[in-house]
Amino acid sequence: MSNYDRRKFLRNFSMALGGVAAGSLVSEKGLAAGFESLSRKGLIGGPKNYGPNDQINLALIGAGGMGSADTNTALSVPGVKLVAVCDLYDGRLAAAKKKWGNDLFLTKHYKEILNRKDIDAVIVGTPDHWHRQISIDAMAAGKHVYCEKPMVHSVTEGPDVIAAQKKYGKVFQVGSQGMSSLGNEKARALLAAGAIGQLNYAEGFWARRGPVEVWQYPIPEDASAQTVDWDTYISNTTKRPFDKLRFFRWRNYTDYGTGMAGDLFVHLFSSLHFITDSHGPERIYASGGLRYWEDGREVPDVLLGTFDYPAAGDNKGFNLSLRCNFVDGTSGTTYLRLVGSEGAMDVEWDRVTLKRNKTYATDDPFLEAQLARAGKPTDRKKMLPPEIMVYEAEKGYKGAHYDHFNNFFTAIRNDRTVAEDAIFGYRAAAPALLCNDSYFQKKPIEWDPEKMRLRS
């Protein structure tokens, strides 16, 4: 950040707030608030008129809730066609035909998808324990890959995916869709312009309570060893008899999922690293417990993580606190807050709320005397509220999920790279997975974010 850029930002910010004051826009709490619309030219309506040679043929591997949502969003981007679906449960394959067409190729064996010459890219929407292998096999088969977060199931798996992307040269993007949001892009620009001064602290929060939100997913009535390919599902992990809960509610079990940290913290890491240009923390501490959902799950429903980020480049280092609870969904919504020496900002995917500190006065005579003795002015008159500016996506914005897929397909068509590639995805996944390790091992974990490996 240059002094010129910082002065320019402060001048524009003051002018914006001055215009707001003149218009008497005041929030419920009486704080003056400025507003600015966020937009990205060309993405509100999306690209149009792709010819046959530009069409991207897509396949879905793992047609559960997230995989299906990804596919619906991907198909809303012009020039994309779904041609095949793979899943281990008969019911999802039947549902795929109803949702996306009778001409789909359906299979329970993902390598049959990879062997098809008419498929350009795949979505990997499987449980976490299959992300690594399917992603590597897909790139080796010449397919571009959109892999759901977290990129890998354990911290030891990341280097293999990075090596595969380098070897095969395919577009590989991790599915933390908030990465591509207008909110993240604005927050990144504001931080670089000195809007909150020096970053010192960041925090993130997630609260849930509804059964589906906390992974008590519905179990189909026909769930059985006859309708589910259980042997394939567990072929790369612990062998055990068929268990419909472990298949349909897989996030609750460590053999297949990565708990709160892998499902939710990883989104916050992805956004934070994009906004700050950070590569990750060097020390991870975690605590928590199973406080409410005693339904056989192996992972906590309350998780607290603390992370120490080292100095790097112009960044002097900062601390991060992440919290997640499945006990009470009324205690707040999802947010990422960055706190600096001159203000703070709350970052959402379609909105950024910037608050800048003002100096404030006190009626305390002792403090007045101390300030006078220190040679500091004491003629301040009153406490002042922070200056507030809200940046909000304009009407018609299709959202971060659309933007993320649009970036993926644009990179494929134009032989470009993406921001959330294998290295970025691993640097976001690693601290989340190490948060789990810290929780289960009951000790802090030391990590080298540059070399992407555990410290001995």
Side-chain angles (χ1 to χ4, degrees):
M1 179 187 64
S2 69
N3 288 332
Y4 172 78
D5 289 338
R6 186 171 182 276
R7 288 195 302 269
K8 182 179 178 182
F9 162 77
L10 291 175
R11 181 176 67 252
N12 292 341
F13 182 82
S14 297
M15 290 173 64
L17 287 178
V20 167
S24 299
L25 289 176
V26 180
S27 71
E28 292 180 0
K29 293 184 178 180
L31 305 181
F35 297 88
E36 181 178 308
S37 292
L38 300 178
S39 65
R40 185 183 294 109
K41 187 176 182 181
L43 277 186
I44 298 300
K48 301 181 184 302
N49 301 323
Y50 282 106
N53 294 333
D54 297 312
Q55 178 174 289
I56 293 175
N57 285 343
L58 182 68
L60 170 62
I61 302 174
M66 197 64 233
S68 295
D70 281 340
T71 301
N72 288 333
T73 303
L75 294 177
S76 71
V77 179
V80 179
K81 179 182 180 181
L82 182 69
V83 299
V85 174
C86 173
D87 199 90
L88 299 180
Y89 168 53
D90 289 342
R92 290 180 184 149
L93 294 177
K97 278 204 169 187
K98 291 182 179 179
K99 285 185 288 189
W100 299 309
N102 288 325
D103 58 342
L104 287 177
F105 172 75
L106 303 178
T107 180
K108 286 187 176 181
H109 307 287
Y110 77 87
K111 289 189 177 179
E112 292 185 358
I113 296 275
L114 304 185
N115 289 336
R116 290 180 64 103
K117 302 298 184 183
D118 61 338
I119 293 174
D120 303 304
V122 298
I123 295 173
V124 180
T126 66
D128 302 343
H129 70 304
W130 275 105
H131 286 184
R132 170 194 169 276
Q133 191 61 55
I134 296 177
S135 294
I136 292 173
D137 289 346
M139 287 186 280
K143 314 303 182 189
H144 304 287
V145 177
Y146 182 102
C147 179
E148 261 304 322
K149 52 75 196 165
M151 185 180 85
V152 289
H153 183 244
S154 74
V155 75
T156 59
E157 296 176 345
D160 294 340
V161 180
I162 293 171
Q165 185 183 15
K166 289 181 178 178
K167 179 178 180 179
Y168 300 112
K170 309 311 292 183
V171 176
F172 177 87
Q173 179 168 280
V174 179
S176 284
Q177 61 266 31
M179 264 284 300
S180 298
S181 68
L182 283 173
N184 274 7
E185 290 185 6
K186 187 62 179 180
R188 179 184 172 98
L190 287 170
L191 182 66
I196 62 171
Q198 176 65 46
L199 177 64
N200 297 315
Y201 170 68
E203 62 179 343
F205 181 59
W206 220 295
R208 291 180 172 181
R209 177 64 179 269
V212 173
E213 290 181 326
V214 304
W215 315 328
Q216 281 197 330
Y217 303 131
I219 309 295
E221 292 183 2
D222 69 343
S224 69
Q226 286 69 52
T227 59
V228 172
D229 186 350
W230 177 254
D231 289 339
T232 296
Y233 181 68
I234 64 168
S235 61
N236 64 351
T237 187
T238 307
K239 307 302 182 286
R240 62 179 83 241
F242 173 73
D243 186 336
K244 60 185 179 182
L245 293 179
R246 286 179 171 268
F247 185 84
F248 290 99
R249 296 180 179 174
W250 57 271
R251 289 193 187 279
N252 293 309
Y253 305 97
T254 57
D255 280 351
Y256 330 108
T258 50
M260 295 169 130
D263 185 28
L264 302 176
F265 281 7
V266 70
H267 278 303
L268 301 173
F269 282 118
S270 297
S271 292
L272 178 70
H273 292 179
F274 175 77
I275 294 167
T276 64
D277 267 336
S278 296
H279 289 169
E282 62 183 358
R283 190 170 297 105
I284 297 102
Y285 321 74
S287 64
L290 187 58
R291 310 302 183 193
Y292 183 82
W293 293 100
E294 296 181 2
D295 54 3
R297 67 182 62 201
E298 299 170 347
V299 292
D301 55 14
V302 173
L303 188 64
L304 311 173
T306 304
F307 310 86
D308 297 343
Y309 277 71
D314 293 333
N315 193 321
K316 295 183 179 180
F318 61 93
N319 297 97
L320 169 68
S321 171
L322 298 181
R323 298 176 288 141
C324 187
N325 87 75
F326 285 175
V327 177
D328 177 19
T330 68
S331 53
T333 186
T334 307
Y335 67 79
L336 176 64
R337 177 174 295 142
L338 277 63
V339 181
S341 57
E342 298 178 27
M345 55 181 164
D346 290 352
V347 183
E348 302 169 65
W349 292 350
D350 58 359
R351 169 195 289 247
V352 177
T353 303
L354 171 64
K355 300 180 180 179
R356 291 208 22 108
N357 291 326
K358 288 185 178 179
T359 56
Y360 62 92
T362 176
D363 296 327
D364 185 346
F366 176 78
L367 181 57
E368 293 279 349
Q370 294 299 314
L371 289 171
R373 184 177 301 172
K376 296 181 178 180
T378 61
D379 58 350
R380 294 171 295 173
K381 301 301 182 184
K382 60 181 179 179
M383 296 184 68
L384 299 173
E387 297 170 317
I388 300 177
M389 176 69 86
V390 178
Y391 304 87
E392 193 168 84
E394 69 181 24
K395 187 176 181 181
Y397 175 52
K398 291 191 174 183
H401 208 174
Y402 179 92
D403 285 358
H404 210 45
F405 269 106
N406 191 72
N407 289 342
F408 176 60
F409 295 132
T410 297
I412 293 172
R413 288 191 176 103
N414 299 297
D415 193 25
R416 296 178 183 171
T417 59
V418 292
E420 195 171 13
D421 61 6
I423 290 177
F424 189 103
Y426 184 46
R427 282 180 165 145
L433 300 174
L434 294 173
C435 191
N436 286 333
D437 291 346
S438 176
Y439 169 79
F440 286 112
Q441 297 173 24
K442 299 182 179 180
K443 68 176 186 180
I445 305 291
E446 303 287 334
W447 174 251
D448 187 330
E450 298 300 327
K451 297 180 179 179
M452 296 180 286
R453 66 189 184 191
L454 292 167
R455 297 185 192 273
S456 57

